[in-house]
């Protein structure tokens, strides 16, 4: 019998028809990336340590902040708690979006992007799968930073079923409302290969205007800046997270519910825009012959 | 469906902006090609001829500027998902980079089987059989980053066959494979075409391989399809040309090759295997006499000198005027180092 006979015999059998649902292929892309991520054993520990050290810096900065200013804004009296939630959430966002860009660049450089795109996978299955893994991989970091803040720095977070449930809802809304931005960044990176302007701009804007380190009430004297901060979805993420984790508020509170509503609206607008950018980016690289950069 | 592959007037120009200027590089110009189901076609051309561009358009990874292409009855522009379901693509030039190196061979295949909608039970059986065939069963659960280039190419071949596509686009599939594996891969492709009616478009720089494998050959040169015929018919085009083969005892020196090129009866000189040159001449008997005299003067120790039938390699050289990477004659940079006499 020739060496190829078993292969020929196997391929003679017809393949059952039908294609898999979109969610399952998206999940397959996410699981593949998770497996790759978990193959880097020490990355998790190093990343966690770097963020905890950053939060520790704000522990000392906190001595300079008047607790009354925070209390007036409705966030309790602890600056370390305030800063911890801000730092944890902004790093969560930054790592998510930058990971999407990193994965995209890597796939283009190695040729796996071309290999995947020559299968019947849909754009949304591929890109949402890649983006989701960024959020999942960064989720543990956020939980780790909050836990380390409570245990090591004594941040007074409120841990009732209602507050934790509301915080989880806001983490999910953070993911949903920023998924579109991540996909948008992937579309831009696909064309330009290096340099990720979206992640840079997003990181700078959130640090400056979303109230990561100071309450937005401090911007009251600057209507333009305050107005700008109200356009950023991340502002509402922080509002919901802080209200729930620092004061125990739930979605039943009008201010928290309003923030959640804004994030749902941002999700509905940004995901289609992100997908449009990805489609356009893909068509552009197909025109330019740049689907692979190897 | 009359044709598994139907390309009509396909054109593609790469445009790169540099400041205010746009540099245009034509890659394909009005290429038309029809391939029937089950046909095995060799696609040849020097580097930059447009082979990979054509295959990438057929894979839906590249948009043409003009013309149309249908694969397995589906339009590559309008029905790209169906086209991608119908193809098994291998890009050997990547040297196995287009795999997830931090995952195992099995995980790689499982992932692609999933994307290709192969049910898990069928996928398991196919993965095992293909890994067996390519001699990777023992390495199935090792990370791909520990694989040699040849092993990675084998894994990419297995990936291209997993979903049993009707059309195989094989861009240099035997690059990096050892002699035995390259032969077995050729046998497999031949059987896939003969027994399962797979349509195969095959590119290679190894013309002997293409000659043995592909009953039909299409030659691209500077983006144009300059020949498309059976191998014997292509060789018949060179009836007016005569080839003399000279095998020396030692490696040829660039100066010797250069001198042969300047002989009146010699039109071109190509390397043709170990210590062997193929010379295109006007009249072989007269050229052989002239060559024998010149070689004697140069002190070249000749093992064998004779006229031979034109081969695909000769046709290729005649049509394109460019040697393939495998048939470039020695130059001062590429010639083996020898101690001066």
């Amino acid at each position: 019998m020739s060496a190829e006979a078993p292969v020929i015999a196997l391929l003679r059998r017809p393949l059952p028809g039908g294609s898999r649902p979109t969610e399952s292929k998206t999940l397959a892309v996410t699981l593949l990336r998770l497996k790759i991520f978990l193959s880097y054993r020490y990355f998790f520990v190093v990343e966690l340590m770097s963020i905890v050290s950053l939060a520790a810096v704000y522990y000392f900065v906190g001595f300079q902040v008047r607790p009354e200013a925070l209390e007036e804004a409705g966030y309790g009296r602890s600056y370390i708690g305030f800063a911890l939630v801000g730092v944890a959430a902004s790093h969560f966002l930054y790592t998510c979006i930058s990971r999407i860009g990193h994965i995209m660049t890597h796939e283009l450089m190695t040729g796996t992007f071309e290999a995947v795109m020559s299968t019947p996978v849909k754009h949304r299955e591929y890109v949402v799968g890649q983006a989701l893994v960024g959020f999942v991989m960064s989720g543990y970091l956020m939980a780790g930073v909050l836990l380390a803040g409570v245990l090591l720095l004594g941040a007074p977070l409120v841990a009732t079923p209602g507050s934790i449930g509301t915080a989880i809802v806001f983490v999910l809304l953070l993911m949903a409302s920023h998924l579109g931005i991540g996909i948008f960044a992937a579309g831009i990176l696909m064309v330009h290969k290096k340099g990720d302007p979206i992640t840079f701009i997003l990181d700078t804007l959130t640090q400056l205007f979303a109230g990561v380190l100071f309450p937005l009430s401090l911007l009251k004297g600057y209507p333009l800046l305050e107005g700008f901060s109200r356009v950023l979805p991340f502002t509402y993420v922080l509002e919901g997270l802080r209200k729930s984790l620092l004061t125990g508020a739930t979605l039943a509170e009008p201010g928290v519910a309003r923030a959640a509503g804004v994030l749902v609206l941002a999700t509905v607008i940004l995901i289609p825009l992100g997908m449009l950018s990805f489609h356009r980016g893909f068509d552009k690289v197909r025109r330019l012959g740049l689907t692979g950069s190897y | 469906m009359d044709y598994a592959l139907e390309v009509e007037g396909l054109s593609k120009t790469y445009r790169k902006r540099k400041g205010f200027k746009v540099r245009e590089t034509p890659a394909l110009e009005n290429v038309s090609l029809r391939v029937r189901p089950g046909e095995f076609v060799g696609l040849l051309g020097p580097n930059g001829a447009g082979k990979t561009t054509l295959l990438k358009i057929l894979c839906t990874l590249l948009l043409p500027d003009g013309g149309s292409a249908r694969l397995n009855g589906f339009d590559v522009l309008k029905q790209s998902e169906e086209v991608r379901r119908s193809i098994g693509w291998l890009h050997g030039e990547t040297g196995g980079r287009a795999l997830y190196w931090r995952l195992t061979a099995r995980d790689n295949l499982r992932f692609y089987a999933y994307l290709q909608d192969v049910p898990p039970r069928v996928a398991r059986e196919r993965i095992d059989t293909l890994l067996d065939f390519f001699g990777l069963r023992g390495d199935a659960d090792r990370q791909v980053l520990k694989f040699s280039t040849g092993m990675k190419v084998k894994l990419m071949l297995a990936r291209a066959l997993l979903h049993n596509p009707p059309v195989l686009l094989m861009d240099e599939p035997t690059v990096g494979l050892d002699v035995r594996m390259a032969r077995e891969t050729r046998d497999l492709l031949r059987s896939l075409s003969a027994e399962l009616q797979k349509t195969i478009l095959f590119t290679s720089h190894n013309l002997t391989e293409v000659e043995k494998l592909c009953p039909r050959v299409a030659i691209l040169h500077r983006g144009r399809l300059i020949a498309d015929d059976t191998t014997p018919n292509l060789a018949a085009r060179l009836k007016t040309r005569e080839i003399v083969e000279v095998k020396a005892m030692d490696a040829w020196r660039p100066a010797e090759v250069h001198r042969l090129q300047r002989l009146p009866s010699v039109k071109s000189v190509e390397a043709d295997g170990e210590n062997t040159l193929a010379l295109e001449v006007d009249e072989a008997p007269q050229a052989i006499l002239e060559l024998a005299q010149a070689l004697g003067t140069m002190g070249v120790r000749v093992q064998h000198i004779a006229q031979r039938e034109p081969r695909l390699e000769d046709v290729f050289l005649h049509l394109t005027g460019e040697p393939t990477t495998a048939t470039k004659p020695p130059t001062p940079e590429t010639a083996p180092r020898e101690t001066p006499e």
Side-chain angles (χ1 to χ4, degrees), chain A residues 4 11-13 19-20 24-25 32 35 39-40 107 110 114 117 119-121 286-287 289 294, chain B residues 12 56 60 62-63 84 91 97 100 102-103 107 114-118 120 125 133 164 191 195:
Chain A
E4 73 274 12
L11 297 182
R12 266 189 206 288
R13 278 179 258 158
S19 56
R20 291 197 164 89
S24 88
K25 281 192 185 173
L32 172 104
K35 266 187 184 175
S39 72
Y40 295 96
E107 294 245 319
T110 55
E114 283 191 337
M117 283 301 164
T119 70
V121 73
R286 286 205 297 163
R287 257 197 318 278
Y294 40 82
Chain B
K12 177 74 194 171
K56 281 196 178 178
T60 77
L62 198 57
L63 294 174
R84 285 183 267 131
H91 193 190
R97 289 210 295 160
Y100 292 101
R102 295 198 69 87
L103 299 184
D107 279 342
Y114 204 87
L115 295 187
Q116 290 285 4
D117 297 310
V118 181
E125 194 185 1
F133 173 77
N164 197 12
S191 300
E195 295 179 38

Side-chain angles (χ1 to χ4, degrees), chain B residues 300-314:
Chain B
V300 175
R301 295 192 300 152
V302 178
Q303 191 179 330
H304 157 97
I305 179 166
Q307 182 181 2
R308 69 156 169 77
E309 285 297 305
R311 293 200 296 240
L312 184 59
E313 210 164 283
D314 309 311

Side-chain angles (χ1 to χ4, degrees), chain B residues 22-81:
Chain B
V22 178
R23 204 181 71 192
E24 295 197 339
T25 314
L28 287 179
E29 286 181 57
N30 201 24
V31 169
S32 297
L33 180 72
R34 284 176 177 173
V35 181
R36 290 191 186 281
E39 259 196 290
F40 199 142
V41 180
L43 186 64
L44 296 180
N47 288 334
K51 305 182 296 288
T52 301
T53 297
L54 176 59
L55 292 193
K56 281 196 178 178
I57 289 174
L58 297 175
C59 286
T60 77
L61 289 172
L62 198 57
L63 294 174
D65 296 332
S68 65
R70 293 183 80 79
L71 195 143
N72 202 30
F74 302 114
D75 188 306
V76 295
L77 291 177
K78 294 174 191 153
Q79 294 163 293
S80 60
E81 197 178 320

Side-chain angles (χ1 to χ4, degrees), chain B residues 89-110:
Chain B
W89 176 53
L90 179 128
H91 193 190
E93 213 179 49
T94 60
R97 289 210 295 160
L99 292 161
Y100 292 101
W101 283 20
R102 295 198 69 87
L103 299 184
T104 65
R106 194 186 297 280
D107 279 342
N108 266 281
L109 293 182
R110 212 182 274 156

